[in-house]
Structures are given as C-alpha cells and as structure tokens.
Amino acid sequence: MTTTNQLSDKELLEQLENCSLSPELFTHETMLRLAWILIQKHGLEVAIVKNNTIKEKYFKTALKCDKFNKTLTKAYAEILYYFMTKSKATNFEKLLREFPRLKYDFQKLVKTHYGYNILKEHRQEEPKDFRPLLFSF
C-alpha cells in the first residue's frame, strides 16, 4: 500500500483504531480525512472526542511517541467542520480541492483559529480563552 487513497473510509478508520496503519501513511492529509470521516459519521462534538481517543492511542502504540497534541487534534475537527459547513462538497477530495488551505496552509489556519501558535508546544489542556473562527475566503 502506498497511499491511504486506496483505502475506503471504513478501512482507514479501522486501521487507525487498531493501530495497524503504517506510520509512513499517517500524514496531515490522513489526519484531516480521519476528522472528515468522524464528523460525517458522528457530528462535530462526538468526532472531537473520538478523534482525540484514536489519535492518542495511535501516537502511543504505532508511532511510539509522546508528542500527541490534544488541542491540535481538536483544531483538526473544528477547522475542518467550519469548511465543511461552507461547502457543498460531497466527499473529502472535493473539499480539499475547494479549500486547498486545509491541505497546504493548515498551520496558519490553526494560528488564526486559536490566536496563537499552539504548534510550538504539545498541549494536553484546552486553551484558556477560545475565540470563534476568524477565517475569510
């Protein structure tokens, strides 16, 4: 397997949940797609919780890494959901084509979302003063 595009949403979710997805395939786009799958399946609030649970386990088990960032994982779901509500895209690939910033400028979107750079630290706690999304098109 050379790409997660060859996996169905169900297969990708299963491989992430059971930590069998090859670490080389655990990319930014894969993390966005995981958020997409969970939001489509459960809605935003449940997706945030499930996304944190799945990714934290994957980081510890498959990546053998303690760099899991709870705040950033929440941001993946919230930011993706924001763009999903602005789109008529019926699948993940179309959403990325419509909003390429999700794929190519996500760090700036996160900084805009939180008002500071959460990527400098691996935070376990929630940000103290959360602000609404401030994106412009």
Side-chain angles (χ1 to χ4, degrees), residues 69 71-73 75 110-111 114 116-123 127:
N69 186 319
T71 305
L72 179 59
T73 300
V110 171
K111 188 173 181 181
Y114 284 103
Y116 63 94
N117 189 356
I118 65 167
L119 302 176
K120 287 188 177 182
E121 300 177 37
H122 297 286
R123 298 175 181 265

Side-chain angles (χ1 to χ4, degrees), residues 101-116:
R101 292 187 297 169
L102 287 167
K103 186 173 180 179
Y104 299 110
D105 202 13
F106 195 77
Q107 185 172 356
K108 187 174 180 182
L109 292 174
V110 171
K111 188 173 181 181
T112 301
H113 181 47
Y114 284 103
Y116 63 94

Side-chain angles (χ1 to χ4, degrees), residues 13-20 26 34 49-66 68-69 73:
L13 183 57
E14 285 175 0
Q15 286 189 26
L16 286 164
E17 287 178 324
N18 67 25
C19 300
S20 64
F26 191 67
L34 172 60
V49 173
K50 289 188 173 288
N51 199 17
N52 272 305
T53 302
I54 292 167
K55 283 174 66 176
E56 185 172 21
K57 180 181 174 189
Y58 189 86
F59 266 79
K60 288 178 181 174
T61 305
L63 300 178
K64 302 194 184 331
C65 171
D66 66 351
F68 172 72
N69 186 319
T73 300

